[in-house]
Amino acid sequence: MSVRVVGAGMTRFAKSDRSLKELAAEAVTAALADAGLTVADVEAAYVGNAVAGLVTGQEMIRGQVLLQPLGLTGIPVVNVENACASSSTAVYLGCQAIAAGAHDIVLCLGAEKLTHEDKSRGMAAIGTAIDLEARASLAHEAGTDLDDSSRSLFMDLYASWARAYMERTGATLDDLARVAAKNQDNGTRNPRAQYGSSVTVEEVLGAREIVAPLTLLMCSPISDGAAAVVLASERAARRLGLSGPRVAASALVSGGPHDEGDVLGTAAGRAATQAYAAAGLGPDDLDVVELHDATAPAELVLYEELALAAPGTGPELIRSGRVHHGGALPVNPSGGLLAKGHPIGATGVAQICELVWQLTGRAGDRQVEDARVGLAQNAGGWIAGDHAVGAVHILTASD
Amino acid sequence: MSVRVVGAGMTRFAKSDRSLKELAAEAVTAALADAGLTVADVEAAYVGNAVAGLVTGQEMIRGQVLLQPLGLTGIPVVNVENACASSSTAVYLGCQAIAAGAHDIVLCLGAEKLTHEDKSRGMAAIGTAIDLEARASLAHEAGTDLDDSSRSLFMDLYASWARAYMERTGATLDDLARVAAKNQDNGTRNPRAQYGSSVTVEEVLGAREIVAPLTLLMCSPISDGAAAVVLASERAARRLGLSGPRVAASALVSGGPHDEGDVLGTAAGRAATQAYAAAGLGPDDLDVVELHDATAPAELVLYEELALAAPGTGPELIRSGRVHHGGALPVNPSGGLLAKGHPIGATGVAQICELVWQLTGRAGDRQVEDARVGLAQNAGGWIAGDHAVGAVHILTASD
C-alpha cells in the first residue's frame, strides 16, 4: 500500500470545557499545518466518533458538522462508528480510498467528548458498545448483576478477563500494577497526556477498587479530545514534497468465536497476524508499540495477542523492563489509554499520531531511539466473546 | 471501476413489528441468495444506519450486532452514518474497497427502524441530521419557529425550498401534486412498497396539510426496513460465474455553499456531474432513475439538479408524462420515497436494488422496457444551505 502519513495533530487529552467542534478544529488545523497543506488540499474526510449522538444528540452528519466551520465542505465526508476503534477504522478507510486511486490527500479525524454536565451520559453511552439485547448474558459472563442498566459493563468484562488471564498465566496483582505504573510514568513525558505520575506498584494496588482486581489506576479515564492525520498517496507525496512514515499495513477485523486461550484467534490477534503478513514484517521488527490498554491487564493480554510475547508469558515481558521507557521495545510511550487518556472515538488516530512522532524523531523526552517500525493496535466494543473490532496499523519510517 | 452488483435483496418497507435484526437478516439472506453466495463468501461488510442509537440506544457497533446472528463474524465491519444517505455511503465504500483490491466480495446493508413504542423518538431522531447548534438559524431560514425542539425541521425546510422553487420556476401546486400522484401510482406495482394508490391531483391537494404547500401525500412516510446488495469485483464475478449490473460510477460529496438557483452547484448537482463524468455517460443515456423524493417538490428540483431537465423546466418534465410509468425516462418506478417508504438508513441501498431489478429485467409489472442504464440519487441531512450529503450511483446492464 503506497500511503504515507504526512501530517499529525492532536489536542491534549483531558476533561475539557471546550466543545467537540473546538477540539476537532485544533486537531485538524495542527495536522494540516504539520503536513504543510491547507483545507483546499483535502480531497475527502473520514471521521470517527462513537457517542456524540447519545451524549449531545448530534447524530448522522457529525463529521460535516465538525468540518464545515473549517471550510471543509463539498468533499466526500464519511462518518464512521466502530466503538473505541472508530477512528482507526477511519484511517483504514482513508488508506483504502488512496489505494483505490480515488483520492491523493485525505483527512482522518477522531473526535470525542465524553464529559457532559449530566455526568451519567458518557458512561451510559460507553455501555452501548455491546449488543444491548445480550446485556443480561454479558453481565452473567462478567460475573456481575444488572442493578443499573445505565452502567457500562466494560469494567466488569475487563475484570473478568483479568481474572481469567491471571489464572491461565500466573500473572500477579503486581504484574497488573506494573503496567499501570509504567504507563503513568510514560505519561509524565507526554505534554498531551491527561495524566502522568511516578506511582509505585504499591500505590497502584492501594488505589480505589473499581471492580476487583482493577483499581482506579488500572482503568483508563474519561477523556475528551481529538486527533487527526493527513494521508497522502506516494505519488502526491513526491509531487508536493511531503514526507512521513509509510503505512505498511492497515488491518481491520470484527470479533468472532475463538477457543479460550487462543491468543492469535482473537480480534487483536487476527488483525495483527494480517498486518504482519501485509507488511512483510513480524513482531521482532518492531521498535515501538501503541496498544489498547483500556485497562492494565489488557496490556498483558495484548502482549500475547500481538505476538510480542509467547502465550502465557505476558507477565515475564512486563517484569523484564523491555517494554519500559528505554527498553528494547517500548510499549505505550505516549502513556497509553491509561495515562494519555481515552476519548474513545479519538484514540485510534491518537495512536497513529504517536507513531508518526516516534518514527520522525519528534517525540521529545519520550523518543524511542532509532525507531523505524511502529505498530498501533486499537480495539472496540464487545460481541460474541471477543472485542467487536480489532484494528492494527503498522507504520515504517520514511527512507 | 470494475465492480458488479451481483445480488440484491430487501424487505417490504412498512411500519413493522419486526426488530431491526429480523429486518436486516431478511435483506442480507435475500441478497446472498440472489447472488448464489453464502455468508462464508462475504469478505467485508459496510453497514448504513442513521438513528438506531437515538431510537433504541444501540450505538457504536450496530453492524456487528445485526450481522453476528447470521454468522457474519471475523470480517471487517464498517458502521457508517450519513443521515438519509447512510447506505449509499456504504455502497460507495464497498465499491472503493473492491477498487483498492482489498476485497472481491462485499456486502452493503442499509437498515432502519424508525417506529418505536415511544412515537416521538423516530421524528426527534430524524431532526438531528442538522448542526444542532445552528437549529435556530435553520428554523429562521425555514420560516418556522422553535416551539418544539424535539420536532424535526425537515418538513419546514422542504416547504421553504418548495416555495422558493415555485417562485423561481412557476411550478404550481398541481405540479407538486402530479409528482405525488405519479409515485403513488408507481407504488401500486411494487409489492415491496409501503403505499401505492390511484390518487388524483385533487386528492393529493386535498390531503391534510403538513406545512404549506406540502400535504400529507407530498411527504415521505415513517418506515422500517432493510436492503442489501452484494458487490463483486469483475475478477471474482468471472471466476464464480456471478452476473449483475456494473457500477459505472459511485460519487459522494458533502454539501456546501452555492448560488441561489445554481442547480448544478448543489450536493446532488455536483455528485451527478461527477458521476456522469466517471461513467462517460450523460442524462440522455439514462433509461431509469431512482431519486430522493423525500417530498414531492424535491423531485421537481432534482430533475434540474440531475440535468434531466434544464434549469427552470422541472414542471414541464412532470407535465410531459415522460417520467411516468411507460414514459421515455421513468423516475421512481419503485414508488420512490413517497410511496415505497423511507426507512432513512436503508433508502440508498433500496434504490440500488430497484436499479438492479430494472437492469436485469426482473421488475415485474413496473419493468422499464429495455432498461440498460440507471441512476440512483440519495441525499442526506442539511448543512450550510444545502443537503449535507449527495450520493449518485450509475449502473449499467451486464453485456
Side-chain angles (χ1 to χ4, degrees), chain A residues 61-240:
Chain A
I61 56 163
R62 312 179 201 181
Q64 289 90 338
V65 167
L66 298 178
L67 297 175
Q68 186 267 333
L70 304 174
L72 278 159
T73 60
I75 58 172
V77 173
V78 173
N79 299 297
V80 58
E81 258 184 72
N82 244 343
C84 302
S86 291
S87 66
S88 51
T89 304
V91 173
Y92 168 84
L93 293 176
C95 290
Q96 217 157 64
I98 290 175
H103 302 294
D104 281 314
I105 306 277
V106 309
L107 175 73
C108 303
L109 168 66
E112 202 77 71
K113 194 161 165 58
L114 286 168
T115 61
H116 187 275
E117 55 187 13
D118 174 358
K119 286 188 181 179
S120 68
R121 287 199 194 184
M123 280 309 282
I126 291 172
T128 68
I130 59 172
D131 181 347
L132 292 182
E133 292 176 10
R135 196 169 188 276
S137 65
L138 264 182
H140 180 75
E141 185 180 324
T144 188
D145 58 21
L146 281 168
D147 53 340
D148 178 0
S149 69
S150 74
R151 180 163 154 271
S152 165
L153 289 175
F154 277 90
M155 288 305 122
D156 302 290
L157 285 166
Y158 271 108
S160 164
W161 310 334
R163 292 190 296 267
Y165 181 77
M166 292 168 80
E167 191 163 325
R168 174 166 69 79
T169 64
T172 63
L173 288 172
D174 277 12
D175 293 325
L176 275 52
R178 283 184 180 103
V179 171
K182 167 179 76 73
N183 292 351
Q184 281 294 327
D185 177 62
N186 286 345
T188 63
R189 284 178 291 274
N190 186 354
R192 294 183 186 86
Q194 183 170 1
Y195 297 110
S197 61
S198 301
V199 292
T200 63
V201 163
E202 291 66 35
E203 285 167 333
V204 173
L205 294 175
R208 177 163 65 84
E209 179 178 291
I210 303 296
V211 185
L214 305 178
T215 69
L216 182 68
L217 287 166
M218 293 183 199
C219 299
S220 52
I222 293 286
S223 317
D224 306 326
V229 289
V230 180
L231 307 182
S233 67
E234 196 68 65
R235 182 178 60 177
R238 266 200 307 272
R239 192 181 71 234
L240 300 170

Side-chain angles (χ1 to χ4, degrees), chain A residues 21 46 53-54 57-60 62 64 74-77 79 81-82 96 125 128 130-133 252 254, chain B residues 21 46 53-54 57-60 62 64 74-77 79 81-82 96 125 128 130-133 252-254:
Chain A
K21 276 182 188 164
Y46 299 82
L54 295 178
Q58 183 69 63
E59 198 68 283
M60 298 214 254
R62 312 179 201 181
Q64 289 90 338
I75 58 172
V77 173
N79 299 297
E81 258 184 72
N82 244 343
Q96 217 157 64
T128 68
I130 59 172
D131 181 347
L132 292 182
E133 292 176 10
L252 180 74
S254 53
Chain B
K21 275 182 187 164
Y46 298 83
L54 295 179
Q58 182 69 63
E59 198 67 283
M60 299 214 254
R62 312 179 200 181
Q64 288 90 339
I75 58 172
V77 174
N79 300 297
E81 259 184 72
N82 244 341
Q96 216 157 65
T128 68
I130 58 172
D131 181 348
L132 293 182
E133 292 176 10
L252 180 74
V253 303
S254 54

Side-chain angles (χ1 to χ4, degrees), chain A residues 130-133 383, chain B residues 18-29 39 45-50 52 56 58-73 77-79 107 109-113 225-227 345-346:
Chain A
I130 59 172
D131 181 347
L132 292 182
E133 292 176 10
I383 202 162
Chain B
R18 299 160 70 204
S19 72
L20 196 61
K21 275 182 187 164
E22 290 171 308
L23 295 168
E26 179 183 332
V28 169
T29 304
V39 159
Y46 298 83
V47 181
N49 171 272
T56 68
Q58 182 69 63
E59 198 67 283
M60 299 214 254
I61 56 163
R62 312 179 200 181
Q64 288 90 339
V65 167
L66 297 178
L67 297 175
Q68 186 266 334
L70 304 174
L72 277 159
T73 60
V77 174
V78 173
N79 300 297
L107 175 73
L109 168 66
E112 201 78 72
K113 196 162 163 56

Side-chain angles (χ1 to χ4, degrees), chain B residues 1-8 31-32 35 37 41-46 87-99 103-109 228-237 240 242-250 349 352-353 356 393 395:
Chain B
M1 187 185 305
S2 292
V3 179
R4 288 191 184 272
V5 188
V6 298
L32 286 172
L37 296 172
D41 296 308
V42 176
E43 298 170 22
Y46 298 83
S87 66
S88 51
T89 303
V91 173
Y92 168 85
L93 293 175
C95 290
Q96 216 157 65
I98 290 176
H103 302 295
D104 281 312
I105 306 276
V106 309
L107 175 73
C108 302
L109 168 66
V229 289
V230 180
L231 307 182
S233 67
E234 196 68 64
R235 182 178 61 178
L240 300 169
L242 309 172
S243 65
R246 196 170 70 87
V247 181
S250 174
V349 171
I352 306 280
C353 286
V356 169
H393 287 83
L395 271 61

